[in-house]
Structure formats: structure tokens, C-alpha cells
Amino acid sequence: MADDDATPPPLRVIPAAEAPFGDVERVFGTRGDPASCWCQWYKIPGADWRGVGKDALRDRLEAQIAESGPGPGLLAYEGDEPVGWAAVEPRPRLPRLRTRRIVKSGTTQPDLDDESVWAVTCFVVPREHRGRGVATELARAAVDAARAGGATVVEAYAVDPTTGAKKSAAELFPGTVSMYAAAGFAEVARPTASRVVMQVSFER
């Protein structure tokens, strides 16, 4: 008989390039926002977004993972089961961030062409794996990935769910203030009551 009280295996986080793309697909699923975006929202200009279908978005992410160089994300495993994704890579690769109010009014790194500034922009954790600290562990791993990739700063655009109306799970995809704080990020600006720029800086 299975032991219902058995401790789940520790989480393991690896670069998405080291994982089968089928595992990435399992995390993103086939319904909902992740399967409609594939972490391409910040990479495609608004005028072009509507013309790109879901299959093309998935193919774009698969090609980005296969490219040499840092990013675009990390995959978390519980045992052999993929349980979460985090998008982290150099900020200049995310052109839509240039127009976002939270970046323009909140970053302490205004050179948006600086490849040494990395950004964490999205988390995907399937419903059945939530509440286990998967996103926090991915945030910690994102710091390590940015440091290993030569970043001077890794930046995140957190949601503060304690302010304003209750936030839906879909609204929390950038990550929460408490989650980033647990991963070592510090608040550097609060452009709005519920959106916070948080950073980890690396000494060189």
C-alpha cells in the first residue's frame, strides 16, 4: 500500500535545454494562458502578436531553447515529473519590456540594451503541483542561472497580492513579492501599489 505521508522527492531544476521538449509541453499543457503564450508575449511586438498562432508560438519556444547561449528558461522536476517552468534570460531579448510601465518607471538599470541585465518574467506551475514551493525554488535557480550566465543584475516584476482586489492565479504569472523575497530578491521600486521591481545584484 502506498504511504500517503511519504515525503515528496526534492525538487530539481535544470536549464530547459537539458530537458526533453516534451517535458516543457507537459508543464505548459494544452489549455489556458500558458498554452496560448508559450512565453512569447514579451518577445513579439504587439502589432504582430495576433497573427501568430498557438502552434507557431510553441515552435518559437522550442527553437529558442535549442539555440546556443543563455536562457530562455528553467524546468523543475519532482522526481521524474516536470512540475514547473520559469522564464529567465538577458533582458534585451524581451523587446516588449521596453514599453512596460513597471520597467520604464521602476528599473534601476535603464540601459535596455545591456545584456548583463537579466529578467525573470514568467512562472508556469500546473494546478496539481501548486502549493509546494515550486515557483520559489525556480526563482532561486533563476538567480543561479543569471549569475552563471554573466549577469550583473537579475530583475523581476513581482505582484503584491496583499494589495487591492484578490488576484487570480493567472494574474500571478510574474511571481509574487514574498516568493522573490524568499529567493533573495530585494525591492527596489514600486511603480504601482501592486507591482514591484525586485532585483539581485552580483558584485564583479
Side-chain angles (χ1 to χ4, degrees), residues 70 89-92 109 111-119 146-147 149-155 200-202 204:
E89 60 189 309
R91 193 176 61 179
Q109 308 294 318
D111 182 358
L112 298 178
D113 294 317
D114 186 350
E115 288 276 341
S116 76
V117 179
W118 285 43
R147 181 189 290 113
T152 58
V153 174
V154 58
E155 189 167 80
V200 176
S201 297
F202 308 112
R204 286 285 182 259

Side-chain angles (χ1 to χ4, degrees), residues 27 34 83 123-135 168-170:
V27 169
V83 297
F123 293 85
V124 180
V125 179
R127 185 183 303 273
E128 63 270 24
H129 300 299
R130 294 173 190 166
R132 305 183 192 178
V134 173
S168 68

Side-chain angles (χ1 to χ4, degrees), residues 7-199:
T7 301
L11 292 175
R12 173 174 57 96
V13 180
I14 63 174
E18 297 177 11
F21 188 70
D23 287 355
V24 177
E25 292 180 299
R26 286 170 64 186
V27 169
F28 277 73
T30 58
R31 302 170 65 181
D33 290 342
S36 300
C37 178
W38 294 94
C39 271
Q40 301 303 300
W41 173 258
Y42 289 115
K43 298 183 177 184
I44 299 175
D48 299 331
W49 176 258
R50 292 183 181 276
V52 185
K54 292 182 181 180
D55 289 346
L57 294 172
R58 182 198 60 223
D59 292 346
R60 284 174 61 98
L61 179 59
E62 184 174 15
Q64 290 157 10
I65 291 173
E67 291 173 358
S68 61
L74 306 169
L75 208 62
Y77 285 85
E78 188 176 87
D80 294 328
E81 178 74 11
V83 297
W85 157 274
V88 55
E89 60 189 309
R91 193 176 61 179
R93 301 184 187 184
L94 305 164
R96 268 212 210 189
L97 281 181
R98 294 174 178 270
T99 63
R100 306 303 290 179
R101 176 184 174 189
I102 189 172
V103 177
K104 292 195 296 182
S105 61
T107 186
T108 64
Q109 308 294 318
D111 182 358
L112 298 178
D113 294 317
D114 186 350
E115 288 276 341
S116 76
V117 179
W118 285 43
V120 186
T121 54
C122 181
F123 293 85
V124 180
V125 179
R127 185 183 303 273
E128 63 270 24
H129 300 299
R130 294 173 190 166
R132 305 183 192 178
V134 173
T136 300
E137 195 61 33
L138 280 162
R140 292 191 181 103
V143 173
D144 293 338
R147 181 189 290 113
T152 58
V153 174
V154 58
E155 189 167 80
Y157 314 105
V159 177
D160 187 346
T162 68
T163 63
K166 184 177 180 179
K167 308 295 190 296
S168 68
E171 293 176 289
L172 299 179
F173 76 89
T176 65
V177 169
S178 60
M179 185 193 83
Y180 283 116
F185 285 74
E187 179 175 333
V188 297
R190 189 175 284 256
T192 70
S194 63
R195 295 304 303 275
V196 183
V197 179
M198 302 185 75
Q199 293 177 347

